Amino acid sequence: LLAAAVLAGAADAVPLGASMAMWAVLWALYLSIVNVGQIWYGFGWETLLLEAGFLAVFLGNARTGPPVLVLWLLRWLLFRVEFGAGLIKLRGDRCWRKLTCLDYHHETQPMPGPLSWFFHHLPRPAHRVEVAANHIAQLVVPFGLFAPQPVATWAGVVVIVTQLWLVASGNFAWLNWITILLAAGAVDAARLPFPTPAAPRFAASPLWFEVTVLTVTALVLALSYRPVRNLLTRRQRMNTSFDPLHLVNSYGAFGSVNRTRREVVIEGTRDAELTEGTVWHEYGFYGKPGEPGRWPRQWAPFHWRLDWMLWFVPLSPAYGRSWFDGFIERLLLNDRDTLRLLRHNPFPDGRPAHVRARLFQYRFTTWRELRETGACWHREHVRDLTPPVRLATPQEPHTRPGR
């Protein structure tokens, strides 16, 4: 409700102190959600939203000009997002240095979008250009954000164009959109080649507001020590918070790129006794690949957390140790809240007797396969990840739950 009110302009219709309070409450509430959510809220864009949201508290309202120091802090945040992502790639998988990572990335990224199939099938020289342009955009251009105009404007424009390319090629929740908003803060509208609204006139800032901004600036600079040290170390950590309030963080993505894609396919059956003739039915997910003929959708900036979490499980089964068995148990119970996270429940009229998880290797089809079958994916069974499991009966008090 508070977010809707701010979106409707309520924060600009109240005095400066009340406006800051509204933004501060929004930040505090989301901080609570992220900290309570633990692994489910461990994505880099969660801390990015918190850090940007914290700085937004001190931008003022419609009648108060945004402080120059806060605008510079927002550029400092954008610099760490872009430069951190560039360094983690340069130090990570050697395919980034060989300019070959995008031969695989569009196919193996966590949640492909509707155009990812076409991006994957671009000529390999085009992939080399993509990677080289990415290196320039993330390792060189960010320094231009601190340069005088019009250099800062063009640096912001390059970041925006790069992020829109990422929006078109995959689903990365709201990461790209926040980055675009941050980059827009570096753009001088008067220097754009099309008409823009005249700059508004602001009232003088009260003294208490200026003191608060100076204090916050000093705090952010002091807390920047560990993120900067992380940027400079060879063992760079990505998407890391160094304080419980997530005020100044480190960022980065895809330091390594998978060469093949493996997906968890979850199936259930009503058969109480399993035989070779048992018929299994597949659960359908919104974002992650499932049936080979189902084309990926555009979901970002919406974030399907369960789908992303399942992408990590084949890479490291230990990643799902704390929650995967519980998820399977909820499916055996036909738990309503869990099933709301799924696109298709093959058992709408009663609980399944058994559920299993299988590992499949996926790849994008070729142009010829697409014409012949209409399917964008081809998949092959690799192995069983979780054998068929059922709920324990009252006569099995010592049976592990869900086994």
Side-chain angles (χ1 to χ4, degrees):
L1 290 175
L2 183 57
V6 170
L7 185 63
D12 289 323
V14 297
L16 176 59
S19 174
M20 293 175 65
M22 294 176 75
W23 282 97
V25 170
L26 282 175
W27 170 79
L29 290 175
Y30 200 71
L31 174 66
S32 172
I33 292 172
V34 169
N35 285 339
V36 171
Q38 300 176 55
I39 190 173
W40 292 90
Y41 281 77
F43 299 91
W45 45 80
E46 310 289 359
T47 52
L48 178 57
L49 178 58
L50 285 172
E51 185 170 351
F54 174 76
L55 294 176
V57 174
F58 308 99
L59 280 174
N61 58 11
R63 294 182 294 277
T64 306
V68 173
L69 288 176
V70 177
L71 294 178
W72 281 103
L73 291 179
L74 288 169
R75 292 192 198 186
W76 170 231
L77 168 57
L78 177 60
F79 177 88
R80 282 181 283 117
V81 170
E82 290 293 287
F83 195 61
L87 283 180
I88 202 76
K89 293 179 177 67
L90 204 62
R91 291 170 171 155
D93 201 320
R94 61 182 179 179
C95 69
W96 288 114
R97 299 186 293 275
K98 295 170 64 177
L99 307 183
T100 59
C101 274
L102 291 189
D103 292 347
Y104 321 101
H105 168 73
H106 296 304
E107 181 179 64
T108 62
Q109 62 182 304
M111 196 177 298
L115 299 179
S116 298
W117 188 93
F118 299 97
F119 276 88
H120 176 69
H121 287 292
L122 288 173
R124 290 200 169 186
H127 288 161
R128 308 294 186 274
V129 173
E130 279 187 284
V131 178
N134 180 82
H135 288 331
I136 294 172
Q138 292 188 327
L139 294 170
V140 179
V141 170
F143 289 95
L145 296 169
F146 303 110
Q149 297 291 0
V151 176
T153 290
W154 291 114
V157 169
V158 170
V159 171
I160 291 172
V161 171
T162 304
Q163 293 299 316
L164 289 175
W165 185 270
L166 296 174
V167 168
S169 65
N171 285 291
F172 300 100
W174 57 83
L175 172 63
N176 308 122
W177 294 106
I178 291 189
T179 307
I180 288 171
L181 288 174
L182 292 172
V187 174
D188 181 359
R191 299 180 183 273
L192 297 178
F194 48 81
T196 55
R201 293 186 176 183
F202 299 110
S205 302
L207 178 60
W208 65 265
F209 181 61
E210 294 181 356
V211 172
T212 302
V213 168
L214 288 171
T215 303
V216 168
T217 302
L219 174 65
V220 171
L221 292 178
L223 292 177
S224 294
Y225 170 73
R226 294 180 70 182
V228 169
R229 188 175 65 176
N230 180 65
L231 280 176
L232 299 178
T233 182
R234 292 185 178 180
R235 297 182 179 180
Q236 179 187 354
R237 298 162 60 189
M238 66 180 185
N239 300 329
T240 301
S241 297
F242 297 97
D243 61 87
L245 298 181
H246 304 274
L247 295 181
V248 185
N249 313 288
S250 66
Y251 301 96
F254 297 107
S256 60
V257 173
N258 301 322
R259 304 311 195 260
T260 58
R261 180 183 198 96
R262 291 191 173 183
E263 287 285 346
V264 178
V265 174
I266 300 175
E267 301 171 327
T269 181
R270 294 190 188 278
D271 294 355
E273 298 295 331
L274 301 179
T275 66
E276 292 185 359
T278 295
V279 177
W280 294 89
H281 302 279
E282 184 175 338
Y283 287 89
F285 293 82
Y286 285 102
K288 69 183 292 296
E291 303 94 328
R294 185 170 184 269
W295 203 270
R297 287 359 183 220
Q298 180 64 42
W299 293 110
F302 190 82
H303 182 24
W304 289 108
R305 297 178 185 279
L306 176 60
D307 299 59
W308 269 79
M309 297 284 282
L310 286 170
W311 179 79
F312 288 107
V313 171
L315 305 179
S316 174
Y319 187 85
R321 188 171 296 148
S322 64
W323 60 270
F324 189 74
D325 282 354
F327 171 60
I328 296 296
E329 184 177 6
R330 298 301 190 280
L331 295 181
L332 287 165
L333 291 168
N334 248 10
D335 179 68
R336 181 187 61 183
D337 292 332
T338 302
L339 293 172
R340 288 174 59 191
L341 304 175
L342 276 59
R343 178 180 57 85
H344 171 65
N345 172 25
F347 307 102
D349 302 321
R351 299 186 310 192
H354 290 83
V355 170
R356 68 180 181 182
R358 309 174 80 199
L359 204 60
F360 281 77
Q361 184 158 314
Y362 277 66
R363 64 167 175 83
F364 276 138
T365 54
T366 63
W367 285 97
R368 180 177 178 179
E369 290 171 328
L370 180 65
R371 288 193 298 267
E372 292 176 350
T373 66
C376 60
W377 293 107
H378 173 83
R379 70 181 186 184
E380 296 179 0
H381 178 245
V382 177
R383 61 182 175 86
D384 286 354
L385 186 66
T386 300
V389 294
R390 59 184 174 83
L391 291 174
T393 64
Q395 290 74 32
E396 299 173 318
H398 301 294
T399 302
R400 179 183 174 187
R403 298 288 179 180

